[in-house]
Amino acid sequence: MKRSRDKAASELFAALYPRLAGWCRRLVDDDETAHEIASEAFTRLWARWSRVEEPRGFLYVTAANLVRDHWRKLERERKAMRRVTAEAEANSHTEQADPAVRLLVQSLPERLRTPILLHYYADMPIREVSVLTGRKEGTVKADLHAARELLRVHLRRSLDHTL
């Protein structure tokens, strides 16, 4: 019984995965994300294998839902970045922040810059930054630490040159 179930699942995977991943790729415009979504759809199908009557339909509906979740996450990130940018611009007019610091923050790699902007400029707690970026809280903390260290080194260097 288990052997025939495994064989059926493996044949279904071989037959449908490339097409499902390609369909997802057209929707999300990213190979890695498309493969993650297609793989997750198959994982969910496998978990419900004995109860699903139409596996192909289940896969495409599940993948469509995962794509929609992906789009929602992207939109939340875009809104957060717009809010951060708007708040940073508003704050830059009221607080005469050191332009060197702003330039240093802007020069950080995106992986480090985004958490810095969300946490320090938009005043978001680490938990919210984690949700918006799709990273674990520990990863966000590590990225914030790495960014602060880079900024500290650059600021120390620039201060040494001005003295």
Side-chain angles (χ1 to χ4, degrees), residues 6-18 42 45 49 55-56 59:
D6 289 350
K7 186 173 191 257
S10 145
E11 288 172 356
L12 184 73
F13 183 84
L16 294 181
Y17 184 84
F42 270 96
L45 171 63
W49 184 255
R56 182 186 176 121
L59 286 168

Side-chain angles (χ1 to χ4, degrees), residues 1-161:
M1 181 73 172
K2 184 178 181 335
R3 184 177 206 131
S4 65
R5 175 184 144 183
D6 289 350
K7 186 173 191 257
S10 145
E11 288 172 356
L12 184 73
F13 183 84
L16 294 181
Y17 184 84
R19 185 170 285 167
L20 181 66
W23 180 73
C24 292
R25 169 67 174 85
R26 287 188 298 280
L27 294 172
V28 298
D29 199 32
D30 176 56
D31 283 335
E32 185 177 338
T33 304
H35 285 286
E36 286 175 12
I37 289 171
S39 296
E40 179 64 20
F42 270 96
T43 301
R44 291 181 184 189
L45 171 63
W46 181 249
R48 294 163 185 80
W49 184 255
S50 60
R51 295 176 302 223
V52 174
E53 301 223 0
E54 178 49 54
R56 182 186 176 121
F58 179 90
L59 286 168
Y60 277 88
V61 167
T62 302
N65 289 336
L66 292 168
V67 165
R68 190 171 45 249
D69 291 346
H70 172 75
W71 289 340
R72 286 179 183 148
K73 178 185 170 212
L74 288 178
E75 186 54 31
R76 283 191 308 270
E77 288 173 358
R78 278 194 281 275
K79 284 180 182 176
M81 289 305 289
R82 283 194 297 268
R83 186 171 74 211
V84 167
T85 303
E87 288 177 11
E89 286 176 11
N91 289 340
S92 70
H93 296 301
T94 56
E95 310 168 358
Q96 289 304 316
D98 185 355
V101 174
R102 278 199 316 247
L103 288 173
L104 283 175
V105 169
Q106 290 172 349
S107 72
L108 289 171
E110 184 178 347
R111 176 182 67 81
L112 301 177
R113 182 177 60 243
T114 300
I116 287 285
L117 290 173
L118 294 173
H119 184 65
Y120 291 109
Y121 286 80
D123 224 13
M124 289 184 188
I126 289 174
R127 177 174 287 135
E128 193 172 341
V129 174
S130 169
V131 169
L132 286 171
T133 60
R135 299 180 194 153
K136 294 180 180 176
E137 287 184 38
T139 303
V140 170
K141 289 176 185 178
D143 288 346
L144 287 170
H145 175 75
R148 286 191 305 266
E149 288 302 310
L150 276 174
L151 292 172
R152 186 176 293 123
V153 166
H154 287 296
L155 286 171
R156 199 172 278 143
R157 230 184 262 146
S158 67
L159 284 175
D160 289 344
H161 291 303

